[in-house]
Amino acid sequence: MLTGVPLAGAERRLVSAPVPPLAVTVIGLALTAGWLLLAVTPEAALTVTGGPGPGLAALHLLTLGVLGMAVVLVVPQILPVVTMVPAPALPVLMPVHLGVAGGAVTLVTGFLSGDSLWMAAGATTVAGGLGLFCLLWARLLWQARHSGMGDLLLANSLALLCLLLIAALGVSLSLDYRTGFLSDSPLEHGALVWAHAILAVHGLMGLLVMGYSTVLIPMLAVAEPQGRRANRPLILLYAAGVLTAAFSAVISADVIGWLGWATALLAVGLFLRGMLTVLKRRLRRSLGPSFWLIRLSWGLWAAGLLAGAGARIGWLSPELAGALLLPGWLLTLLLGILQRIIPFLASMHSVRCCARPAPLPRFENRRQTAALSLAHAGAVLLLTAGIALSSPLLIRGAAGMGLLSGLLLLFFAAGVFTRLLSHRRAVGPRRPRPAPSSPAL
Ligand code: HEM
C-alpha cells in the first residue's frame, strides 16, 4: 500500500452515484457564475470589503458555491475510503447539499440586492446545511478513531470546530444587517467580519488542505507518504496560530494578531517543505497539469500569507491578499485536485456499477485538463495584476479566462460522466452476486 491509501474494497465505501456528478455540477456552475459576475461588474473585485454588493456576492459564490460544496463532497467521500469506514447514505447527504447550495444562492442574492431578508434567510439555510454536515462529519471521525490516520483525523476535527464558528459568525453578521443587534453589543461588526474571514480561509480551508494533502499528494504522485502522525506538531502549531489571529481580530489586539500570523506562517513553511520532500521521492516522474496547479497553489499560499501582512499594515489592499488566497491558493489547489479526483471516482464507480471495471486512463483527458489549468492560471495572474493596478480592464480579462475555466471544468466532468455511462452500456451493469445457497438440510 505504497501511497498509504487502502484502495482494496474502496468501491464499497463510495457515496451514492448521483452525489459526485451533482456536486461537481454545482461547483462548476458557481465557479462560472462567480467569474461572470466579475465580468459584468469588474469594480466588484476592488470593493469586496465594503459590505453587501457584487463583490461580497462573487466572494461567497466562490467560498460557499465552490469551496463549501467541495468540502461537503470531498470529506464524506475521501474520509471513508482512507479510514475504511462506511460512507454516509444518500438520504443523509442530500439535505446537506441542498441546504448549502440553496442557502448559498439565497445568501448571494441577498448580498447582490442588498436585501437583508434574503441575506438572513440564506445565512440560516446554509448554516442549517452545514450544521447537519458537521453532525455527519463528527460521526465519521468517531467511526474512524481507530484507523491510525492521526494527522488526517486531527486536521478534520480542528476544521470541524472552525466550520461551526464560521457558520455562527456568518449568521450573526447576516442577521446584524437585518436587526442591527451588534450595535448594542460590545462586539464590533467589522471585527467579527475579520474573525469570520480568518477562520474560514485559514482555519477551515487551511486545515483541510494540510490534512488531506498528507493523503492525496502521495496518492496522486505515487510517492511514499510521511508518517501518519508526522505533521501533528505542525497542524497543532498552525491551528494555534489561526485561532490566535481570529481571537485577536475579535478583541482588536494587534500584537497577539501578529503572533498568530507568524506562527501560522512558520507552520505553513515547514509543511510545504515536507510536501516538496514527498514529491522528490515520488515514483511517477511526469505529474501532468494537475501538479502545475498544485505547485502553483503552494507558492500562492505563501504569497497570500505575506500579502495578508502587507494588508494589515496598509501597504496592500485586503482585496489583493484575498485574491492571492481564494481564487489564488485555494481555488488553484481545488482545480488541481478535482481534475484527478473526478476520473478516479468514475473508475471506482465503474467497479461498483459495471460488469467490468473501466481503467482510470479511460477517464483522463490531458488536453482538457491542460486547457483548464492554463485558463485558471491566466485568470489568477490577470486578477492579481488587475487588483494591484486597480484596472477594471485587467479584471474583466481575468473574468473572461475564469469563465473559460469554469466552462472547461463542466465540459471535462460531463465528458467523464458520459464515458462512464457509455462504458456501462457497452459492458452491461454489474450483476448482483447470487446469494450463497444454504446447505441442504
Ligand atoms: C454559513 C456560511 C456563511 C455565511 C452566512 C457568511 C456570511 C458572511 C457575511 C454576512 C459577511 C460580512 C460581510 C460584511 O459585513 O462585510 C462575510 C464576510 C466574509 N466571508 Fe462569509 N459567510 C459564510 C461562509 C463563508 C465561508 C465558508 C468562507 C470562506 C471559505 C467565507 C469567507 C468570507 C470572507 C473572506 C469575508 C470577508 C469579506 C470582507 O472582508 O468584507 N464565508 N460572510
Side-chain angles (χ1 to χ4, degrees):
M1 181 165 59
L2 167 67
T3 62
V5 179
L7 292 178
E11 76 280 357
R12 288 194 297 278
R13 299 187 296 276
L14 293 176
V15 295
S16 305
V19 174
L22 283 176
V24 171
T25 306
V26 172
I27 290 170
L29 291 175
L31 181 64
T32 310
W35 285 117
L36 183 62
L37 187 52
L38 222 51
V40 175
T41 54
E43 299 74 21
L46 304 169
T47 56
V48 175
T49 54
L56 204 58
L59 174 79
H60 284 81
L61 270 170
L62 171 60
T63 57
L64 284 173
V66 178
L67 300 174
M69 282 307 292
V71 171
V72 298
L73 168 68
V74 165
V75 169
Q77 182 52 89
I78 306 286
L79 203 53
V81 166
V82 174
T83 59
M84 303 186 80
V85 299
L90 187 64
V92 180
L93 280 174
M94 262 316 155
V96 170
H97 285 242
L98 291 174
V100 174
V105 171
T106 315
L107 181 67
V108 164
T109 309
F111 284 150
L112 213 45
S113 62
D115 185 322
S116 61
L117 184 60
W118 281 77
M119 278 188 243
T124 38
T125 310
V126 176
L130 292 175
L132 192 59
F133 172 69
C134 287
L135 286 178
L136 75 85
W137 194 0
R139 184 162 176 274
L140 276 175
L141 291 171
W142 179 250
Q143 290 173 322
R145 65 193 180 284
H146 299 306
S147 65
M149 302 298 286
D151 289 344
L152 184 67
L153 297 184
L154 175 65
N156 273 268
S157 311
L158 293 165
L160 193 160
L161 170 72
C162 289
L163 184 54
L164 290 171
L165 294 171
I166 295 160
L169 286 168
V171 170
S172 314
L173 291 165
S174 306
L175 290 180
D176 188 42
Y177 280 109
R178 181 104 191 124
T179 64
F181 77 96
L182 282 176
S183 50
D184 309 328
S185 90
L187 299 171
E188 209 225 314
H189 183 104
L192 294 188
V193 171
W194 274 115
H196 170 83
I198 293 169
L199 286 167
V201 176
H202 300 289
L204 168 72
M205 300 313 294
L207 285 160
L208 287 175
V209 167
M210 277 193 170
Y212 285 91
S213 295
T214 61
V215 173
L216 290 177
I217 299 299
M219 180 181 106
L220 298 176
V222 194
E224 185 79 27
Q226 301 158 302
R228 293 177 169 193
R229 301 166 72 89
N231 286 291
R232 194 175 185 78
L234 294 181
I235 293 170
L236 288 170
L237 191 68
Y238 179 74
V242 171
L243 292 171
T244 305
F247 178 65
S248 79
V250 174
I251 60 169
S252 305
D254 250 9
V255 178
I256 302 177
W258 281 110
L259 184 66
W261 172 81
T263 310
L265 185 71
L266 174 67
V268 168
L270 294 172
F271 179 80
L272 289 179
R273 192 181 64 171
M275 284 294 115
L276 290 170
T277 313
V278 167
L279 273 198
K280 270 205 203 96
R281 294 194 308 232
R282 71 182 186 275
L283 292 183
R284 185 182 181 143
R285 292 326 301 167
S286 142
L287 292 172
S290 61
F291 272 84
W292 304 347
L293 291 186
I294 292 171
R295 286 191 182 107
L296 173 64
S297 79
W298 291 345
L300 289 165
W301 193 1
L305 279 169
L306 295 171
R312 210 184 166 85
I313 52 180
W315 286 359
L316 297 172
S317 73
E319 279 81 7
L320 184 59
L324 288 166
L325 287 167
L326 282 158
W329 163 45
L330 288 171
L331 183 56
T332 305
L333 181 65
L334 178 66
L335 292 177
I337 301 266
L338 265 186
Q339 63 182 258
R340 298 287 299 278
I341 291 287
I342 294 172
F344 172 73
L345 281 179
S347 72
M348 297 276 274
H349 275 279
S350 77
V351 178
R352 191 156 87 167
C353 69
C354 303
R356 207 177 58 245
L360 180 58
R362 170 106 204 246
F363 299 110
E364 291 177 331
N365 186 319
R366 190 184 165 102
R367 202 178 302 161
Q368 285 178 11
T369 50
L372 166 64
S373 306
L374 292 172
H376 174 71
V380 172
L381 189 66
L382 285 173
L383 183 67
T384 37
I387 294 174
L389 303 169
S390 298
S391 155
L393 186 64
L394 283 176
I395 296 171
R396 191 163 268 156
M401 296 290 277
L403 207 54
L404 179 64
S405 72
L407 296 172
L408 282 166
L409 176 67
L410 286 167
F411 186 66
F412 172 67
V416 171
F417 190 58
T418 41
R419 251 166 281 142
L420 176 61
L421 293 182
S422 67
H423 174 77
R424 190 167 188 272
R425 262 197 309 275
V427 302
R430 182 170 167 163
R431 303 238 166 282
R433 282 211 193 95
S437 57
S438 50
L441 298 172

